[in-house]
Amino acid sequence: MASEGILLGMGNPLLDISAVVDDDFLQKYDIKLNNAILAEDKHIPMYDEMASKYTVEFIAGGATQNSIRVAQWMLQIPGATSYMGCIGKDKFGEEMKKNSMKAGVNVHYYEDEAAPTGTCAVCVVGGERSLIANLSAANCYKSEHLKRPENWALVEKAKYFYIAGFFLTVSPESIMLVAEHAAANNKIFMMNLSAPFICEFFKDVQENVLPYMDYVFGNETEARTFAKVHGWETENVEEIALKISQWPKASGAHKRITVITQGADPVVVAEDGKVKLFPVILLPKEKLVDTNGAGDAFVGGFLSQLVQEKPIEDCVRAGCYAANVIIQRSGCTYPEKPDFS
């Protein structure tokens, strides 16, 4: 059984503003499908345009928060998971708090006085999604918040830590505090490659934390970008997963395991110098609603079994189950109870 507070996530809490748009809209704002970027000035008008032109849904999101909420849903043990990040003092922030508490996650948000709660435009075309994040308050997270006794207590209590790569752009200092704590206390520290731009433009901060990562998650595009940035002459995802798993480690207590998803293709798991492939649950195209949150849900499902010390096969199976549920719904949402055994 997973104990209270066993899993802690830190990241960028964002409110997803999700809509099915069209190709013209993507072109107008220079948006590529299956990508995730930070909003630039040219993207700012799109949020209002989406709301006025299309049918928009507001869903609590942010990569790490999605994964933690899915893990919590799979575990069905109130307070098994905790989460930290920064929101604004506004109605979106209040909505987020309500949402997370209802999901059973123990959230300790840092509330920024000035910046509004961050948002993420989710543009869906033909079931595929593109994410444009306007971090706002999420970008204001400070390690001072983490160091407060009531928050650091969550770190002390947790045995597993998960942080999406997106948080590297916000508070590398907070990440290192948690990573070093995990290494010193024989706990499990995990991150996600998260997006090609993280691997490209935040290479140095990513490399600083990599030795502490016991699990590295990502998808095939991110893995190939990581390989390219590091001058590895290969596009082969299995080979890349293996090389990431063999990257030097800060502590010898745990080996590193790399887990790479490839959409409908098998999940690649690299550990102990070997690669295993696990097939995913295939979904007929007409049942696909949108892929928003699929990768996050996979991680959430995976973590729900990992914290119960289940074998890696069960972790992957749970990840595939959760992702399969989420892609048949709008955004990272789920039914009341999981149907996983």
Side-chain angles (χ1 to χ4, degrees):
M1 280 286 280
S3 55
E4 192 194 330
I6 193 165
L7 172 63
L8 171 64
M10 292 179 77
N12 301 332
L14 303 173
L15 191 75
D16 282 355
I17 301 173
S18 180
V20 175
V21 301
D22 48 43
D23 288 324
D24 292 346
F25 186 83
L26 296 183
Q27 276 179 319
K28 178 176 177 181
Y29 289 104
D30 190 24
I31 299 164
K32 293 181 190 67
L33 283 176
N34 286 322
N35 200 10
I37 58 171
L38 293 176
E40 298 168 37
D41 290 346
K42 67 179 177 187
H43 296 119
I44 301 304
M46 70 180 275
Y47 296 87
D48 286 340
E49 187 176 331
M50 275 176 84
S52 61
K53 203 166 159 184
Y54 305 101
T55 309
V56 169
E57 285 185 279
F58 294 93
I59 305 160
T64 309
Q65 186 162 246
N66 284 344
S67 296
I68 295 296
R69 273 180 35 235
V70 169
Q72 179 61 48
W73 169 68
M74 291 283 286
L75 285 163
Q76 293 286 310
I77 300 161
T81 64
S82 311
Y83 174 81
M84 287 189 248
C86 185
I87 57 174
K89 288 198 163 177
D90 50 23
K91 71 172 197 299
F92 282 168
E94 282 307 312
E95 194 59 35
M96 192 95 78
K97 251 190 285 194
K98 212 166 68 197
N99 224 302
S100 303
M101 279 150 79
K102 196 175 149 211
V105 179
N106 179 17
V107 290
H108 283 213
Y109 291 124
Y110 170 54
E111 293 182 40
D112 191 82
E113 297 289 338
T117 296
T119 49
C120 182
V122 181
C123 303
V124 180
V125 175
E128 303 291 342
R129 61 86 178 132
S130 191
L131 309 174
I132 302 91
N134 185 12
L135 297 182
S136 298
N139 204 27
C140 302
Y141 190 83
K142 308 276 185 292
S143 59
E144 286 68 59
H145 177 261
L146 174 64
K147 291 173 189 165
R148 283 184 207 155
E150 68 273 24
N151 300 325
W152 190 254
L154 298 182
V155 178
E156 295 280 358
K157 195 178 222 180
K159 294 188 175 74
Y160 296 82
F161 303 96
Y162 175 70
I163 302 176
F166 295 119
F167 203 52
L168 288 166
T169 75
V170 173
S171 188
E173 191 191 341
S174 299
I175 297 176
M176 282 310 279
L177 285 169
V178 173
E180 284 166 354
H181 166 86
N185 294 277
N186 205 358
K187 296 177 176 185
I188 304 282
F189 180 79
M190 303 169 277
M191 286 194 75
N192 202 310
L193 299 176
S194 290
F197 85 88
I198 299 287
C199 303
E200 288 177 293
F201 305 115
F202 294 86
K203 174 175 177 267
D204 294 350
V205 278
Q206 191 181 52
E207 269 183 28
N208 288 346
V209 193
L210 192 58
Y212 294 91
M213 297 181 205
D214 299 307
Y215 284 79
V216 176
F217 296 93
N219 67 25
E220 75 279 40
T221 318
E222 295 149 10
R224 288 187 177 119
T225 306
F226 185 93
K228 197 174 90 192
V229 166
H230 289 90
W232 300 346
E233 304 280 305
T234 180
E235 290 257 303
N236 181 311
V237 175
E238 294 174 41
E239 211 178 307
I240 296 164
L242 208 51
K243 288 186 84 133
I244 292 174
S245 72
Q246 290 164 340
W247 194 284
K249 283 200 88 237
S251 130
H254 305 285
K255 59 189 175 184
R256 181 180 301 109
I257 299 177
T258 314
V259 184
I260 306 292
T261 57
Q262 313 187 81
D265 292 328
V267 178
V268 176
V269 175
E271 64 171 314
D272 291 332
K274 291 190 279 293
V275 170
K276 281 188 190 152
L277 297 177
F278 297 92
V280 303
I281 308 160
L282 293 176
L283 187 74
K285 185 81 173 139
E286 65 274 10
K287 282 193 161 177
L288 173 70
V289 174
D290 73 52
T291 55
N292 179 29
D296 303 335
F298 174 85
V299 173
F302 187 102
L303 296 178
S304 74
Q305 304 308 299
L306 185 70
V307 302
Q308 299 179 74
E309 301 182 4
K310 297 281 172 69
I312 197 119
E313 294 74 16
D314 292 357
C315 298
V316 173
R317 211 164 49 81
C320 292
Y321 164 76
N324 186 267
V325 168
I326 263 82
I327 61 178
Q328 297 182 63
R329 303 167 68 93
S330 179
C332 197
T333 60
Y334 38 77
E336 196 189 339
K337 293 264 193 287
D339 175 23
F340 176 79
S341 54

